[in-house]
């Protein structure tokens, strides 16, 4: 270790690894009720995680939740930006992961054709 | 492609390990792999969270859900419901003792809510065996800042400004101590970390060493730079094997990354660290005895002056601080002494870690700002007294401290207020006692400890504490004599004034403080031959109260025929025959038999 700058650079690099323990970033919540799992929620989540990893987006917290009652619209994915509304996307397929991550998670643009609900 | 979406933190502190966290961790790893979640969930072993009573503890991020008393058998349910389906396993959540409410998250639990975790910030949140996690949490910035942006004198100045006082017990201003060692002439100087934690019930130093070892290494290196020392020793008792193991790993990692060794941060400053394992003698926590022990001699105190700052390890100027003191250095250097001094009272700055034990609902480590009221620690953080019993006293400061009664519950805690009340900050042990605790017995317990740990070098401590213990034993045996209290006070005064080291000088404190606040209990033992708390076997008895319906059950149960009475009449106990076995009390269907005088 030769300088304070070197330490700070190293720290920034390392922080992406432990950042999810201080959850203050964007949240992606996948419905993992029996209905969700049957409709392929695991595959959707895996695709979303792949996409986040591929784009190197830091500080995205993935969570799962139970059935919300709109079983025919599974797989349901909620995305909440810090301070923003909760956007619920329905009928999500693994192939939609690219758009959701690129447009909503990265650029903050709601993917209108997949939205089924919006709440505060 | 791997994306880690969840961290499962398993507590690997000594407390949780002994309640089975190792097996929990192994099962978690196995079950996660079996479910095919290995690429997205990471299991991390951390240091102590301070809530050992509730262990093994498991925390799952990003949600921050806090599971308590997790058993190996619970693992499949956690993995399936929480990690796979995102459903919180309600039954493993912490239950608030008063409201019985289940609390899902760490920060919502009363035990943590009222705490201010500055020193323990990383404990339980990072993996102590991974220097990268320490750096990610802001580690080694203090060392970098000190070495590249500050002069040694400026470092000492910053510590002085912070108002930090020694956390080992006596509360001497740390900045002053550093300045003395810095000004001491000499080419070779040493830094020593006193990790010989010996007070019964105190384990904050162990937790910091186990949970955040790099913080101590960093604090010592900053100190080395400030006073001009290139070598340091950590004196840690061999009974802390996990702390020693993690320290060794941490030192090796710090050396490898250049935080220890030569030319640190390109500043030309060199610093190396050694670990010295102590044999666990209480007296070796006294600084001059500790230095003797490092040198390979028998650990016995010597008179001061000369102070270690002038002539310490191998006769060289030496600065000794305790673990918690060194742990405070990081925030002082990074945020500045003035910012640090915003927490606390006028003369006691920062936070203090207390080890809560005894008859209290939440036991464990609590870090609180100086100046907090005792009541807040015991009732808000500690959750009150077990079984709804009545609070009687709190013993604070270990064997050198004292017992404070209920009237002192609103006392705000800092170094000076505690000393004025007849107790002591000490290392921060806090033993809570309820109405069933006999205060004479408590004094006897602590004196038994100091007596058996006395090194024997000076007569007042060696002989004086022995005589005091004899008197206390005779009082609790029911053979106290008139004049015993005066004799205890006389001996205590003599020992305080003439013992060689701090341990001897403070050894009578538990007796003096119980005499100050609970003198009536001593008198009841001696004059009335009763133990008001019903704790001393020879002095307690059973009484039959008005609730007696004269059923005769107790009379039948008594093995020595000490109970007399006609059917449907209130029965009585003949105390000269009674052997205090308690058989009557357990048989009485009306709960009419009461223990105690």
């Amino acid at each position: 270790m030769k300088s304070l700058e070197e330490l700070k650079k190293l720290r920034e690099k390392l922080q992406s690894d432990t950042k999810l323990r201080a959850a203050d970033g964007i949240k992606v919540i996948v419905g993992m009720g029996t209905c969700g799992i049957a409709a392929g929620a695991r595959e959707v989540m895996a695709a979303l995680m792949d996409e986040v990893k591929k784009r190197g987006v830091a500080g995205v917290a993935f969570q799962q939740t139970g059935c919300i009652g709109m079983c025919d619209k599974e797989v349901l994915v909620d995305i909440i930006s810090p301070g923003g509304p909760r956007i619920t996307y329905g009928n999500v397929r693994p192939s939609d992961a690219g758009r959701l991550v690129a447009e909503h998670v990265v650029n903050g643009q709601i993917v209108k054709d997949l939205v089924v609900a919006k709440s505060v | 492609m791997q994306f880690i979406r969840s961290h499962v933190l398993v507590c690997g502190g000594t407390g949780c390990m002994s309640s089975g966290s190792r097996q929990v961790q192994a099962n978690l790893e196995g079950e996660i792999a079996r479910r095919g979640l290995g690429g997205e969930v990471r299991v991390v072993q951390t240091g102590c969270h301070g809530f050992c009573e509730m262990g093994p503890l498991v925390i799952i991020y990003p949600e921050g859900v806090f599971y308590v008393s997790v058993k190996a058998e619970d693992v499949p349910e956690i993995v399936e419901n929480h990690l796979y389906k995102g459903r919180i396993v309600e039954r493993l959540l912490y239950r608030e003792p008063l409201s019985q409410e289940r609390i899902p998250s760490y920060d919502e639990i009363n035990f943590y809510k009222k705490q201010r975790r500055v020193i323990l910030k990383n404990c339980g949140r990072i993996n102590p065996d991974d220097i990268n996690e320490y750096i990610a949490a802001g580690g080694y910035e203090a060392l970098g800042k000190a070495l590249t942006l500050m002069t040694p004198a400026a470092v000492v100045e910053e510590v002085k400004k912070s108002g930090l006082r020694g956390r080992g017990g006596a509360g001497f201003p740390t900045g002053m101590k550093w300045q003395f060692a810095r000004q001491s002439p000499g080419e070779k100087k040493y830094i020593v970390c006193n990790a010989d934690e010996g007070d019964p019930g105190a384990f904050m130093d162990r937790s910091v060493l186990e949970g955040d070892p790099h913080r101590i290494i960093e604090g010592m290196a900053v100190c080395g730079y400030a006073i001009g020392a290139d070598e340091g020793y950590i004196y840690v008792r061999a009974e802390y094997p996990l702390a020693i193991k993690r320290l060794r790993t941490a030192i090796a990692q710090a050396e490898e990354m250049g935080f220890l060794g030569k030319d640190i941060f390109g500043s030309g400053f060199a610093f190396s660290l050694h670990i010295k394992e102590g044999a666990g003698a209480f007296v070796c926590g006294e600084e001059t005895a500790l230095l003797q022990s490092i040198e390979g001699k028998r650990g016995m105190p010597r008179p001061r002056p000369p102070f270690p700052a002038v002539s310490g390890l191998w006769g060289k100027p030496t600065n000794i601080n305790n673990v918690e003191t060194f742990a405070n250095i990081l925030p002082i250097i990074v945020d500045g002494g003035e910012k640090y001094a915003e927490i606390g009272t006028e003369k006691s700055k920062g936070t203090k870690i207390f080890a809560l034990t005894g008859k209290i609902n939440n036991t464990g480590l609590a870090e609180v700002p100086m100046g907090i009221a005792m009541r807040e620690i015991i009732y808000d953080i500690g959750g009150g007294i077990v079984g709804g019993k009545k609070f009687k006293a709190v013993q604070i400061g270990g064997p050198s401290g004292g017992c404070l009664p209920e009237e002192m519950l609103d006392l705000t805690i800092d170094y000076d207020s505690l000393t004025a009340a007849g107790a002591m900050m000490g290392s921060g042990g806090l033993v809570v006692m309820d109405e069933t605790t006999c205060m004479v017995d408590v004094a006897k317990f602590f004196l038994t400890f100091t007596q058996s740990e006395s090194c024997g070098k000076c007569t007042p401590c060696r002989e004086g504490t022995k005589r005091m213990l004899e008197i206390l034993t005779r009082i609790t045996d029911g053979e106290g004599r008139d004049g015993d209290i005066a004799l205890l006070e006389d001996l205590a005064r003599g020992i305080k004034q003439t013992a060689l080291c701090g341990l001897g000088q403070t050894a009578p404190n538990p007796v003096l403080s119980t005499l100050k606040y609970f003198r009536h209990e001593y008198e009841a033992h001696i004059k009335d031959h009763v133990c008001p708390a019903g704790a001393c076997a020879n002095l307690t008895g059973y009484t039959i109260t008005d609730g007696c319906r004269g059923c005769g059950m107790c009379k039948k149960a008594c093995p020595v025929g000490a109970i007399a009475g006609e059917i449907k009449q209130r029965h009585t106990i003949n105390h000269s025959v009674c052997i205090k076995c308690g058989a009557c009390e357990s048989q009485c269907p009306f709960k009419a038999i009461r223990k105690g005088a």
Side-chain angles (χ1 to χ4, degrees):
Chain A
M1 194 53 58
K2 288 297 164 215
S3 72
L4 204 52
E5 280 312 301
E6 193 187 332
L7 176 74
K8 283 181 180 159
K9 268 192 206 123
L10 176 65
R11 181 165 73 211
E12 274 160 30
K13 195 175 130 240
L14 293 170
Q15 264 171 352
S16 62
D17 207 43
T18 48
K19 207 170 176 183
L20 76 115
R21 287 180 218 166
D24 52 0
I26 194 161
K27 266 192 213 162
V28 176
I29 305 169
V30 183
M32 283 276 173
T34 305
C35 44
I37 294 172
R42 278 292 304 169
E43 289 76 11
V44 169
M45 188 155 119
L48 285 165
M49 288 192 295
D50 263 1
E51 205 61 43
V52 166
K53 169 90 182 181
K54 221 183 316 182
R55 293 175 178 273
V57 195
V60 181
F62 276 90
Q63 290 183 18
Q64 307 104 300
T65 187
C67 174
I68 200 174
M70 288 193 287
C71 309
D72 68 322
K73 294 220 167 39
E74 291 284 2
V75 176
L76 290 163
V77 175
D78 291 5
I79 299 182
I80 312 171
S81 308
R86 179 184 190 125
I87 305 295
T88 305
Y89 294 106
N91 293 315
V92 180
R93 301 286 161 260
S95 54
D96 299 321
R99 283 204 296 149
L100 287 177
V101 172
E103 290 175 31
H104 193 154
V105 175
V106 178
N107 292 320
Q109 302 295 324
I110 295 169
V111 184
K112 294 211 175 88
D113 59 303
L114 292 175
V115 174
V116 294
K118 179 177 166 183
S119 56
V120 183
Chain B
M1 176 129 341
Q2 283 203 335
F3 177 84
I4 302 293
R5 66 171 167 89
S6 179
H7 286 187
V8 179
L9 271 51
V10 183
C11 181
T14 297
C16 283
M17 280 219 179
S18 38
S19 56
S21 72
R22 221 185 291 242
Q23 193 56 46
V24 169
Q25 188 179 347
N27 286 18
L28 273 168
E29 281 160 358
E31 190 66 18
I32 286 167
R34 198 178 70 76
R35 282 263 174 189
L37 300 174
E40 56 195 77
V41 177
R42 181 188 296 160
V43 179
V44 183
Q45 188 189 73
T46 70
C48 179
H49 294 264
F51 208 11
C52 314
E53 185 203 356
M54 285 285 144
L57 304 173
V58 173
I59 300 177
I60 302 186
Y61 286 100
E63 300 92 334
V65 172
F66 190 71
Y67 291 125
V68 298
S69 306
V70 178
K71 291 184 195 55
E73 309 86 89
D74 299 328
V75 166
E77 191 179 342
I78 294 176
V79 174
E80 169 161 354
N81 280 325
H82 190 134
L83 292 173
Y84 195 88
K85 296 180 183 164
R87 292 169 206 173
I88 291 173
V89 185
E90 295 275 340
R91 67 177 183 87
L92 294 174
L93 295 177
Y94 174 69
R95 200 200 282 260
E96 206 61 77
L98 296 176
S99 62
Q100 290 292 304
E101 206 181 323
R102 297 269 186 198
I103 316 280
S105 108
Y106 206 92
D107 314 314
E108 300 286 304
I109 294 173
N110 278 340
F111 180 73
Y112 289 111
K113 218 160 44 180
K114 284 249 170 169
Q115 292 196 42
R116 181 124 182 208
R117 291 166 84 92
V118 178
I119 308 309
L120 295 174
K121 192 185 110 202
N122 290 341
C123 277
R125 301 237 174 190
I126 65 165
N127 178 352
D129 281 333
D130 186 352
I131 190 171
N132 288 335
E133 292 206 0
Y134 180 68
I135 294 171
Y140 287 112
E141 185 175 340
L143 183 60
K145 188 177 171 189
L147 294 188
T148 58
L149 304 173
M150 297 167 84
T151 62
V155 173
V156 173
E157 224 25 66
E158 211 57 51
V159 176
K160 276 165 85 176
K161 237 188 274 172
S162 74
L164 174 66
R165 294 170 68 173
R167 298 294 192 246
F172 190 78
T174 307
M176 297 287 281
K177 211 171 184 180
W178 286 23
Q179 187 171 340
F180 292 145
R182 177 175 153 66
Q183 286 168 346
S184 230
E187 279 288 296
K188 180 78 186 173
K189 295 180 185 178
Y190 291 101
I191 306 294
V192 173
C193 173
N194 184 348
D196 191 57
E197 188 172 48
D199 286 6
F203 60 104
M204 59 285 286
D205 291 351
R206 192 193 72 208
S207 283
V208 173
L209 291 172
E210 285 177 2
D212 201 6
H214 286 285
R215 182 182 279 263
I216 304 305
I217 296 173
E218 182 170 7
M220 291 181 75
V222 170
C223 178
Y225 174 70
I227 74 156
D230 64 350
E231 216 179 337
Y233 282 87
I234 303 174
Y235 187 89
V236 51
R237 41 180 55 216
E239 290 107 316
Y240 285 0
L242 190 61
I244 292 170
K245 189 173 145 253
R246 296 214 171 124
L247 268 174
R248 286 198 198 287
T249 309
I251 290 173
Q253 287 173 346
E255 281 169 351
E256 196 183 317
M257 293 195 67
F259 295 116
L260 287 174
K262 292 202 168 67
D263 195 24
I264 304 167
F265 279 101
S267 65
F269 172 67
F271 193 69
S272 62
L273 269 182
H274 313 281
I275 293 174
K276 169 74 186 175
E277 291 179 38
F282 182 63
V283 73
C284 286
E286 197 283 332
E287 59 182 19
T288 58
L290 185 151
L291 294 176
Q292 297 270 317
S293 177
I294 294 181
E295 290 176 15
K297 299 176 190 141
R298 182 167 171 182
M300 279 186 162
R302 60 159 177 77
R304 297 175 304 183
F307 285 90
V310 176
S311 172
L313 200 54
W314 289 294
K316 308 290 183 205
T318 302
N319 179 65
I320 305 187
N321 287 127
N322 131 292
V323 173
E324 200 183 329
T325 313
F326 280 125
N328 276 283
I329 299 304
L330 184 140
I332 291 174
I333 300 299
V334 173
D335 305 325
E338 273 162 27
K339 175 90 187 144
Y340 178 90
E342 284 174 8
I343 306 178
T345 62
E346 194 195 338
K347 288 192 174 152
S348 303
K349 300 296 185 190
T351 58
K352 177 78 191 86
I353 311 173
F354 289 98
L356 283 178
T357 53
K359 309 275 177 67
I360 191 165
N361 278 315
N362 300 333
T363 60
L365 290 184
E367 181 178 348
V368 291
M370 294 274 191
I372 191 173
M374 194 106 73
R375 189 185 294 279
E376 287 181 76
I377 300 184
I378 293 168
Y379 286 92
D380 297 342
I381 296 173
I385 311 299
V386 175
K389 287 217 171 71
K390 206 169 153 308
F391 171 87
K392 183 171 195 177
V394 54
Q395 208 283 346
I396 180 162
S400 305
C403 291
L404 302 180
E406 199 183 356
E407 303 90 84
M408 307 292 278
L409 265 179
D410 290 308
L411 180 79
T412 54
I413 300 183
D414 67 21
Y415 285 100
D416 310 298
S417 67
L418 284 174
T419 310
M424 193 184 175
M425 182 70 79
S427 58
L430 244 165
V431 187
V432 177
M433 295 149 194
D434 68 9
E435 55 197 327
T436 63
T437 315
C438 165
M439 300 315 288
V440 187
D441 194 45
V442 167
K444 189 175 86 174
F445 170 82
F446 281 101
L447 211 65
T448 308
F449 179 83
T450 31
Q451 214 288 310
S452 64
E453 291 287 344
S454 170
C455 79
K457 185 170 177 174
C458 73
T459 319
C461 176
R462 184 185 66 236
E463 294 298 326
T465 57
K466 201 171 177 73
R467 296 288 96 82
M468 284 181 78
L469 182 59
E470 278 170 8
I471 298 169
L472 288 173
T473 309
R474 130 174 131 219
I475 294 175
T476 53
D477 281 351
E479 287 153 17
R481 304 169 197 159
D482 281 345
D484 270 353
I485 293 179
L487 193 53
L488 277 174
E489 283 173 327
D490 191 33
L491 279 164
R493 210 172 307 122
I495 296 169
K496 273 180 95 74
Q497 283 165 3
T498 56
L500 177 60
C501 79
L503 302 187
Q505 287 155 15
T506 55
N509 282 358
V511 180
L512 288 175
S513 71
T514 44
L515 272 173
K516 180 171 172 189
Y517 296 112
F518 300 95
R519 182 179 280 262
H520 55 278
E521 288 202 21
Y522 282 81
E523 285 165 350
H525 280 74
I526 298 169
K527 296 197 182 116
D528 309 333
H529 291 274
V530 288
C531 171
C536 297
N538 275 355
L539 291 173
T540 196
Y542 290 86
T543 358
I544 299 179
T545 64
D546 290 343
C548 176
R549 308 267 187 91
C551 71
M553 291 291 278
C554 56
K555 198 166 151 186
K556 257 188 237 164
C558 180
V560 291
I563 298 179
E566 297 301 317
I567 285 294
K568 296 196 176 170
Q569 302 282 314
R570 179 170 161 179
H571 285 41
T572 52
I573 299 175
N574 181 345
H575 290 280
S576 58
V577 181
C578 171
I579 56 166
K580 291 136 191 154
C581 67
C584 52
E585 187 194 21
S586 63
Q587 286 298 316
C588 177
F590 306 107
K591 298 202 181 341
I593 300 180
R594 190 167 54 84
K595 193 180 177 187

